[in-house]
Amino acid sequence: MTKMRLRRVICLPVFLIFLLGGGCAREESEKIHAPDSGEHPEAVSSALPESGITYLVIDEKVSDTPIKTQIEQQIVVSSVPTRAGLEDEIFRRYRSARARRGFRHHNVATNIYIYVYGTKEQANAGQGLWIGMIAMGPLDKEEPRVLISEERLAALSHVPEERFGLSEEERKKVFRESAAAEDRATREAMARVPGSQIMKQIDMERELEEKYKNELVRKYDLTNEQLQEIVVEAAMKGWPY
């Protein structure tokens, strides 16, 4: 077992698989919204960015090979956009990417992936913590639809509050330590039990995880149920681990 069970709780299997390109995983608790099928992309792409909100491209990767020509952008928004404004901006940038020319192997990009994040921390984590995204692969015959993480978008407007006697920053720390405890349990179980004895390895991992999490809840004076609530909160708000 090479993945933490915490990450298996938070991350569903990849929900989009694009031929010759990347996909994007979403968290189990998040709600994904796409515009109604009757909405015309041309109308979306003509909108201007919302007043006072800027979108900063912090990373762009362009791959131009005989197999595919791919554009991937990682973008951070400066403040809290409306859902409609976020959809408009993502589609506007998608149409701009579609209009790019000058590639060596293909006339236009065959694969386009655009991700918008609420914070640089989410973007740099590389954990699929976007608030909105769009993806196009070579087999797509229709315009792609913008996907919005309703819960992570809403979390940008939440006022931090205290829960279980801990501030939000302290709960983020607890979440990271919980993830580290699971990583530690996995590594140690793999080191102690050979892969040929997979069931024993799984049992060892569970025992170690329980031990380290019990130490964690005692450290912060929490119950196991409260720790699980913090994990769920982290998934909903898109906290990096």
Side-chain angles (χ1 to χ4, degrees), residues 179-197:
E182 293 190 1
D183 263 344
R184 180 183 176 186
T186 299
R187 290 194 308 270
E188 292 184 5
M190 293 177 67
R192 296 183 190 184
V193 182
S196 58
Q197 302 178 42

Side-chain angles (χ1 to χ4, degrees), residues 66-82:
I67 296 177
K68 66 177 179 179
T69 295
Q70 177 171 306
I71 299 173
E72 179 176 333
Q73 295 179 349
Q74 312 288 333
I75 301 168
V76 175
V77 63
S78 64
S79 55
V80 184
T82 63

Side-chain angles (χ1 to χ4, degrees), residues 119 121-123 125 127 129 172 175-176 234 237-241:
T119 67
E121 183 183 27
Q122 289 176 328
Q127 297 165 8
L129 302 176
K172 287 180 180 180
F175 172 63
R176 290 193 296 269
K237 294 182 177 179
W239 295 348
Y241 47 81

Side-chain angles (χ1 to χ4, degrees), residues 29 47 58 66 68-69 72 90 94 104-105 109 113 122 142 160 164 186 195 232 235:
S29 64
I58 63 170
K68 66 177 179 179
T69 295
E72 179 176 333
I90 291 174
Y94 161 76
R104 178 181 178 185
H105 296 285
Y113 305 100
Q122 289 176 328
E142 299 179 353
F164 317 128
T186 299
V232 172

Side-chain angles (χ1 to χ4, degrees), residues 32-157:
I32 300 298
H33 172 86
D36 295 335
S37 58
E39 189 170 11
H40 295 289
E42 291 78 6
V44 175
S45 64
S46 65
L48 295 175
E50 294 178 271
S51 176
I53 296 180
T54 58
Y55 291 79
L56 175 65
V57 178
I58 63 170
D59 186 43
E60 180 182 81
K61 293 183 174 66
V62 178
S63 173
D64 187 13
T65 69
I67 296 177
K68 66 177 179 179
T69 295
Q70 177 171 306
I71 299 173
E72 179 176 333
Q73 295 179 349
Q74 312 288 333
I75 301 168
V76 175
V77 63
S78 64
S79 55
V80 184
T82 63
R83 181 172 62 79
L86 179 60
E87 289 175 349
D88 290 349
E89 180 66 15
I90 291 174
F91 213 100
R92 187 178 70 83
R93 289 175 179 271
Y94 161 76
R95 296 303 292 269
S96 177
R98 284 285 288 167
R100 287 167 69 168
R101 298 294 186 271
F103 303 111
R104 178 181 178 185
H105 296 285
H106 300 88
N107 184 43
V108 297
T110 60
N111 299 63
I112 297 174
Y113 305 100
I114 298 175
Y115 306 94
V116 176
Y117 303 86
T119 67
K120 285 187 178 180
E121 183 183 27
Q122 289 176 328
N124 292 332
Q127 297 165 8
L129 302 176
W130 44 264
I131 59 173
M133 63 87 69
I134 194 168
M136 182 206 75
L139 299 184
D140 291 335
K141 296 181 179 179
E142 299 179 353
E143 293 278 29
R145 302 168 71 187
V146 175
L147 300 181
I148 301 295
S149 169
E150 300 281 8
E151 290 172 339
R152 284 197 289 267
L153 178 58
L156 296 179
S157 302

